[in-house]
Amino acid sequence: MLNSLEPTGASDGVDPAAQALMASESEAALAHIATLPPDQAEVVLLRVVAGLDVAEVATIVGKKAGAVRVLQHRALKRLSRRLMRERREADVTE
C-alpha cells in the first residue's frame, strides 16, 4: 500500500525546485509512516493521505469507528514523539 502512494511526476505550474522539495518531504513522511505498526500505518494512510473519513476507514479495515480513532490517535502521537526526538537530536548536533 505504501508504494501506491509514492509521489509521482511534476504537476503543471509548479516550480521544479518546489516539486523536488514536496517529493522529498512526501518520501520522508511515508518513511516515518512505514515505521508504525501495520494497523496504525494503514489507518494513517487511509485517513490522512487518502482523505477517507472514519466510517470509510472502519469499513475497509474491518474495525469499529472508535477503534479507528484510537489507532489514528496512537499513530499520530507516536509520529509526533519521533519527530520531536529527531528535531532535538538535530539541534544538539548543530
Side-chain angles (χ1 to χ4, degrees):
M1 177 161 222
L2 288 176
N3 293 336
S4 66
L5 295 172
E6 288 181 4
T8 57
S11 299
D12 291 334
V14 176
D15 174 46
Q19 182 71 26
L21 179 61
M22 288 187 302
S24 174
E25 290 173 351
S26 295
E27 289 174 15
L30 289 173
H32 283 291
I33 291 169
T35 67
L36 293 170
D39 55 348
Q40 291 180 7
E42 183 177 29
V43 166
V44 169
L45 288 171
L46 292 170
R47 289 280 292 133
V48 177
V49 178
L52 301 178
D53 65 33
V54 172
E56 292 170 318
V57 174
T59 299
I60 291 169
V61 300
K63 296 186 183 296
K64 293 183 180 182
V68 168
R69 286 187 198 92
V70 168
L71 286 167
Q72 180 181 340
H73 173 77
R74 289 178 181 168
L76 295 178
K77 187 173 180 180
R78 183 180 292 222
L79 289 172
S80 176
R81 282 193 310 255
R82 183 173 295 129
L83 292 172
M84 288 178 8
R85 184 173 52 246
E86 286 180 7
R87 189 171 293 148
R88 280 193 306 269
E89 290 170 1
D91 289 344
V92 170
T93 59
E94 290 180 351

